[in-house]
Structure formats: structure tokens, C-alpha cells
Amino acid sequence: MSQLDNPYAPPASVEPRTTPKARRSGGASDYSREARSVVLVVFLALVTLGVYPSVWYVRRQAFVDSLDADRKLGPGLPWSLVALTILNLVIAVASPEISNVFAIGSGILSLIARFRIARILRSDFARSGRRIEVQSLLTFFLGVAYLQYKINQASEIRAHVRKKKRKPKPAPEAALTLTSP
């Protein structure tokens, strides 16, 4: 008879799972693994004719989703952005008029992705005590180069995780001793 058949059997030992939520709740985010050269990001964006920023979202998606924030980037947005960007390049050769529609679509998706990442970074910076400001105007114009710069900046600043203050234990009251006269 196995443990599944025996309702009186003691429960099997279960190893605690380390989910991103459990991992996030106690410690600070580690940005050092995500630090990259901003110059390289700009160079790759130029050399790949604008495809690399879409790939940048895919490569940072797991890290960004592991941060403590109310919203997530999710895998669908970065991959659909890559597909739309590549499709735009392929169609641009055949029909520039139709390519404009795909360029507008990929531009809108890119804006959604970059502002969602900016919001996630702001939330995690506030939670971890990093005093780093992510500006919307620079996020709009500089995109992934600016976001990468902010990630690099966070990797250089040590997080200040707020510890919960413990209430001091009340002082033990003096024991009442009765003495007889």
C-alpha cells in the first residue's frame, strides 16, 4: 500500500519551492547580472536595423518579471514585438506602403513595452530603497538604451531593504513578594 492509498500515512516531506514571489519578498533584486554596455546596445540597434531593441525585451523579460512589481512584462509582448519587427523588415522590401502599418504597430508595441519596464523598474527601485529616478521623457526618446542605463545604475547601487522593526519586549514586572510581619 502506497502513501496515496493510505489516508493515515504521514505526509511526505515537501521541499519548499523557491518561486519568484517567495524569492522577492525577502531580499533585494540583483541587477549586477543584467548590466550591459549601453554603447553596445546602441551599436547593435543600428547594425541590426532596429531588430535588437525587440530582442533586448525578450532577453530581459525573465529578469524584469522576477522583480517585485504590480505588473509584469510577460512573454507575449516581447515575442510579438520581435515577430512584428522582423515582419516589417521583410515586407518593407516588397511593399513600403504596407510596411508603414507594421512599423506603426511595432512602434506602439515598443512604447508599451518600454513604459511597462520603466514602471516595473520604478516599483522595484522604490521597494529596494534605491534612489534612482526613471524619467518618462527619456524613456520615450531613448528607449532600451536608457532602460539599460538605469539597470546598470541599479547594479552599482546597493539596495537598502527595509527590515521590519521588532517591537521591544516589555520589561518584566517586578515579582510581588509578600512577606509576613
Side-chain angles (χ1 to χ4, degrees):
M1 189 185 287
S2 71
Q3 281 187 332
L4 294 176
D5 297 336
N6 185 358
Y8 302 107
S13 65
V14 177
E15 293 292 321
R17 292 177 50 196
T18 42
T19 60
K21 185 74 173 173
R23 188 177 73 243
R24 288 192 309 256
S25 61
S29 306
D30 181 26
Y31 285 86
S32 61
R33 294 180 149 198
E34 296 300 319
R36 305 284 188 272
S37 169
V38 176
V39 174
L40 182 64
V41 170
V42 172
F43 176 74
L44 288 174
L46 293 173
V47 168
T48 61
L49 302 175
V51 174
Y52 182 73
S54 303
V55 173
W56 185 89
Y57 294 121
V58 171
R59 293 182 52 109
R60 301 298 171 274
Q61 183 263 326
F63 170 72
V64 170
D65 282 349
S66 73
L67 298 176
D68 191 15
D70 57 342
R71 301 227 28 198
K72 301 295 178 197
L73 185 61
L77 182 62
W79 282 108
S80 60
L81 185 58
V82 168
L84 202 57
T85 304
I86 292 174
L87 190 61
N88 180 31
L89 286 175
V90 170
I91 292 177
V93 174
S95 173
E97 297 83 24
I98 297 175
S99 173
N100 290 338
V101 174
F102 286 100
I104 291 171
S106 64
I108 290 171
L109 274 182
S110 179
L111 284 173
I112 291 169
R114 71 175 72 159
F115 279 104
R116 190 171 293 174
I117 289 176
R119 181 177 179 184
I120 292 169
L121 289 176
R122 281 186 199 111
S123 176
D124 190 67
F125 292 162
R127 180 194 60 79
S128 64
R130 291 180 174 99
R131 297 190 186 273
I132 301 173
E133 184 181 350
V134 181
Q135 297 180 2
S136 297
L137 192 62
L138 292 175
T139 300
F140 180 81
F141 285 112
L142 301 178
V144 296
Y146 179 69
L147 295 173
Q148 184 63 56
Y149 170 73
K150 289 300 174 178
I151 290 172
N152 293 350
Q153 202 175 18
S155 72
E156 297 169 0
I157 297 174
R158 187 171 169 244
H160 303 287
V161 178
R162 297 179 191 119
K163 295 181 180 177
K164 292 182 180 178
K165 293 182 181 179
R166 292 186 181 184
K167 293 182 181 178
K169 292 183 180 179
E173 294 183 24
L176 297 176
T177 55
L178 295 175
T179 58
S180 58

